[in-house]
Amino acid sequence: NLGAWRFVLAATGDRMIAALTVVLVWIGLTRALHLDGAADIADALFGGWTPEQRRSILADSRLGTFGVVAVFVLLAGKLVFVFGLATSFPLVLAPVLGRTAALYMGILFPPLPLGGKGMGKEISGRIPAWYGLLWVAIVAGFSLAQGGRTLLKTAVIFIMIYLFGRALVRTLEGVNGDGLGAGVEWAEFLFLFLQRA
């Protein structure tokens, strides 16, 4: 992302084109995997009334209205936030923070009560606490190197991701790969949003 931003901005001098390129590269590098998770979680959370109904929706591969809205908000928000960045450093920290947020969720929250395999089954409740905390410390160290305000913003992200995980456990009775992917996307989104403060 950082390389794309610098290259396109230097070549064109157009911040919007550079921001759009960064977002498209971001999607390409992840193959939209985390966006798919965010869409599925949005459909499940807003499309059902009971944990069983929500898990049934989550298992459905079709994309619903809430999923489309979630993807639109995430992509439009990232485009606007990247466009408004004063420095390019957040483009380094945001993806690291997002993946660390997924580890953090995997440590704290149990997998969905469903059979079969999946990323949630492999990660949720099975990551050694020391490993996740190590990455949290690494992210905190990078944040602190950018100043106390960046560290505070990072702390806010982890609080929000904790609340998001709690909401998934309350509404779905666990976290699966889609939930972890959604955690990655919303952590990145919120971190970029907070750069405007």
Side-chain angles (χ1 to χ4, degrees):
N1 293 340
L2 181 60
W5 168 268
R6 287 180 172 170
F7 177 79
V8 176
L9 190 56
T12 67
D14 191 315
R15 293 180 64 85
M16 181 53 74
I17 292 176
L20 179 59
T21 301
V22 165
V23 173
L24 291 176
V25 169
W26 215 326
I27 295 169
L29 289 175
T30 62
R31 301 183 67 180
L33 179 65
H34 305 131
L35 280 172
D36 179 67
D40 289 343
I41 288 294
D43 282 334
L45 293 184
F46 297 104
W49 296 101
T50 67
E52 292 76 16
Q53 289 176 339
R54 294 184 180 111
R55 291 198 299 269
S56 176
I57 294 170
L58 194 58
D60 190 334
S61 61
R62 291 173 295 181
L63 182 62
T65 303
F66 293 113
V68 172
V69 171
V71 170
F72 174 79
V73 169
L74 284 165
L75 293 181
K78 282 186 176 182
L79 180 62
V80 171
F81 303 151
V82 171
F83 174 80
L85 288 176
T87 69
S88 56
F89 180 77
L91 296 176
V92 176
L93 189 55
V96 177
L97 177 59
R99 283 139 190 84
T100 304
L103 288 174
Y104 177 71
M105 290 175 68
I107 291 170
L108 296 176
F109 304 111
L112 285 182
L114 295 173
K117 290 187 176 181
M119 188 178 295
K121 284 284 186 181
E122 297 297 324
I123 294 177
S124 294
R126 296 189 178 189
I127 297 176
W130 67 267
Y131 183 76
L133 292 175
L134 173 63
W135 275 101
V136 170
I138 290 171
V139 169
F142 276 113
S143 300
L144 183 59
Q146 295 299 303
R149 285 173 61 90
T150 302
L151 180 61
L152 179 61
K153 292 171 185 177
T154 300
V156 169
I157 299 303
F158 281 111
I159 292 170
M160 297 301 292
I161 290 300
Y162 172 76
L163 295 176
F164 177 63
R166 286 285 300 271
L168 293 182
V169 172
R170 186 176 66 253
T171 56
L172 297 170
E173 299 182 339
V175 176
N176 70 341
D178 288 328
L180 297 178
V184 171
E185 285 292 337
W186 288 112
E188 293 173 346
F189 177 92
L190 290 171
F191 184 72
L192 291 174
F193 169 75
L194 290 174
Q195 301 313 302
R196 302 173 63 85

